[in-house]
Amino acid sequence: RKRHVYHITEQGRAEVEQKGLNNTPIQLSKIIGEMPPQSTVFGREKEIAEFNENLAKSSVLVVGMPGIGKTTLVAKCLVDMGKKCTIRWANASKYSDVYSLCEAWQIGKNIPQDEASIVELITQNFANDYLVIDDYNLIVNRHAKKISNLINLLCSANKTKLILISSESVKNNPEILEIKLESLESAAGVQILGDSMPKQKAIEIANSLGCHPLALKLYQPKFPIPEKITDIVDYVDNIVLNNLDENLTKSLNYLISEPYPITATKFILEDMVGDLDEKSFLRHFKQSKFLEAQHLIRNVKRLDLSDAMKLSIHQELATHWSKICDTSRDKSILLHHKLKSDVNSATKFLHENFEELIEENSNAIAVFIDEAITDSSESNLHYFACKVALSRGEYDVIDKHLSNYYIL
């Protein structure tokens, strides 16, 4: 991990000598779930004030492109609220469903089957808590309807505040107040770059990168300075990623092909994790020790992979996970790579491990199989899709797959 050393200033030393150290403990908010590690917020005074004002009245949606600082801002605002509160944080993914979000919020061991009962459980027991869904935009159609219904019911109950963080606007509920994060002011961009370069050069670089926080963190002195304000995706693709050596490129390709965040010890190229982190390519989850690629990096890099490259990567990762998987979560990752590289092997693996796979990972397995059906004509996938849907009580999904299964 990157290490930062902070030295106390002469002014600070003088204040300590004069007033002494304040050892009064600070009452922090109680955080439940995987809130990403807090980092410094540069600028954003206006947005912070807007967030606090809106949250006092209603649930809030924070919108902005990947890497713009949405999660960092929300975390800071909630932790710095200055009152005792409980923050329940859920990180969404394309595999998230109502139950995985509730599990992340830790609202109880026995989650009701219908959304109305879940809302009743929350409003009766956690009315004063703040419920966060980060990366809300990643939720896919398979699970989106129930999640959207849960959110609407919570908003209608008007007892528990929701904070949604998304790279896209959410149009389904007018009761949620939207805050859009744009690029930083130039002065804040210069702060991110630090004082290792002349101020005028820092201003030039910050402005040429549109004062985008992650783009500025990714900047290295060896990079050419764009002649004009550049598109951030183009900058990441043609400058940041184009300057990687073969080992870094290969390790990044592996990491962005994993379906979930993973631990460094189970990464196929564990020795490269430090190098990826040094480039600011990684996003860490402190409690679980999981890591994943920054979403902006991941989204851009995935576009660079040809179908042949994807197939080869999934084959290698399937071999890797087959040797190390020792949990049901590991087995679901192995299934993902098998479905992407060898459907026949995947269906056999599903048959042999079905009960274990769906016991804790049915939300992800459902999406894995849906994606495989789109890419493959293997009829047995519809059979397994029906079995997963039956285990989840999704009878409309069963009807759809049964008709396809018998037609095939």
Side-chain angles (χ1 to χ4, degrees), residues 108-155:
K109 292 183 178 179
N110 299 312
I111 307 299
Q113 290 295 306
D114 64 289
E115 294 86 76
S117 297
I118 294 174
V119 169
E120 185 177 357
L121 171 67
I122 291 173
T123 54
Q124 287 181 356
N125 297 282
F126 313 105
N128 296 319
D129 296 357
Y130 295 92
L131 305 182
V132 181
I133 305 178
D134 197 359
D135 292 322
Y136 182 80
N137 54 286
L138 297 180
I139 296 168
V140 297
N141 289 336
R142 176 64 182 262
H143 304 310
K145 185 177 179 181
K146 285 191 173 183
I147 293 175
S148 178
N149 190 39
L150 175 69
I151 289 171
N152 289 336
L153 289 172
L154 280 169
C155 288

Side-chain angles (χ1 to χ4, degrees), residues 2 65-69 183-184 189 192-193 197 205-221 223-224 226 229-237 239-241 279-281 294 296-297:
K2 285 188 173 180
M65 71 176 297
I68 204 70
S183 298
L184 293 167
I192 292 177
L193 288 170
M197 64 182 75
I205 293 170
N207 290 335
S208 69
L209 296 179
C211 290
H212 183 284
L214 181 57
L216 293 169
K217 290 178 183 178
L218 293 171
Y219 175 78
Q220 295 182 29
F223 291 167
I229 295 178
T230 187
D231 177 78
I232 299 305
V233 172
D234 182 67
Y235 164 74
V236 170
D237 191 17
I239 297 180
V240 177
L241 298 180
K279 297 285 187 184
S280 298
F281 288 172
Q294 291 277 6
L296 178 59
I297 297 292

Side-chain angles (χ1 to χ4, degrees), residues 143-357:
H143 304 310
K145 185 177 179 181
K146 285 191 173 183
I147 293 175
S148 178
N149 190 39
L150 175 69
I151 289 171
N152 289 336
L153 289 172
L154 280 169
C155 288
S156 297
N158 197 28
K159 292 183 178 180
T160 306
K161 298 286 179 64
L162 277 164
I163 299 98
L164 308 181
I165 306 172
S166 175
S167 63
E168 303 167 4
S169 290
V170 179
K171 303 295 185 183
N172 62 337
N173 197 308
E175 297 179 50
I176 301 177
L177 299 178
E178 181 176 313
I179 300 170
K180 186 169 184 179
L181 294 195
E182 304 286 0
S183 298
L184 293 167
E185 296 292 331
S186 180
V190 170
Q191 283 184 290
I192 292 177
L193 288 170
D195 56 5
S196 61
M197 64 182 75
K199 185 175 181 180
Q200 190 55 44
K201 182 180 179 181
I203 292 172
E204 183 182 355
I205 293 170
N207 290 335
S208 69
L209 296 179
C211 290
H212 183 284
L214 181 57
L216 293 169
K217 290 178 183 178
L218 293 171
Y219 175 78
Q220 295 182 29
K222 67 179 181 180
F223 291 167
I225 302 175
E227 295 180 3
K228 58 181 180 179
I229 295 178
T230 187
D231 177 78
I232 299 305
V233 172
D234 182 67
Y235 164 74
V236 170
D237 191 17
N238 294 316
I239 297 180
V240 177
L241 298 180
N242 200 41
N243 279 275
L244 299 183
D245 63 32
E246 184 178 349
N247 287 333
L248 272 170
T249 298
K250 188 175 183 179
S251 59
L252 190 56
N253 287 344
Y254 284 132
L255 186 59
I256 65 170
S257 300
E258 296 289 11
Y260 316 137
I262 60 173
T263 60
T265 56
K266 290 194 172 180
F267 183 43
I268 190 171
L269 294 177
E270 181 184 351
D271 292 344
M272 293 299 298
V273 169
D275 296 301
L276 290 171
D277 201 25
E278 189 64 30
K279 297 285 187 184
S280 298
F281 288 172
L282 300 184
R283 182 183 185 191
H284 292 268
F285 298 92
K286 186 175 181 180
Q287 291 181 24
S288 62
K289 309 299 183 186
F290 289 150
L291 57 85
E292 65 179 356
Q294 291 277 6
H295 291 182
L296 178 59
I297 297 292
R298 183 192 64 191
N299 297 346
V300 173
K301 195 75 181 81
R302 282 179 176 174
L303 295 174
D304 287 341
L305 298 179
S306 66
D307 289 342
M309 291 173 67
K310 292 176 185 176
L311 177 61
S312 176
I313 290 168
H314 287 300
Q315 287 172 338
E316 292 179 60
L317 288 172
T319 300
H320 167 70
W321 283 98
S322 67
K323 297 175 182 176
I324 65 167
C325 67
D326 52 16
T327 67
S328 61
R329 188 178 189 275
D330 292 349
K331 287 185 177 181
S332 71
I333 294 175
L334 174 56
L335 174 64
H336 169 78
H337 294 303
K338 283 179 174 288
L339 284 167
K340 294 290 186 181
S341 60
D342 185 349
V343 175
N344 289 332
S345 174
T347 54
K348 181 180 178 182
F349 185 77
L350 262 171
H351 179 74
E352 294 171 347
N353 299 275
F354 186 79
E355 296 302 327
E356 181 181 357
L357 284 166

Side-chain angles (χ1 to χ4, degrees), residues 21-32:
L21 289 171
N22 182 5
N23 293 316
T24 305
I26 299 172
Q27 175 63 55
L28 296 176
S29 305
K30 183 179 180 182
I31 301 169
I32 295 174

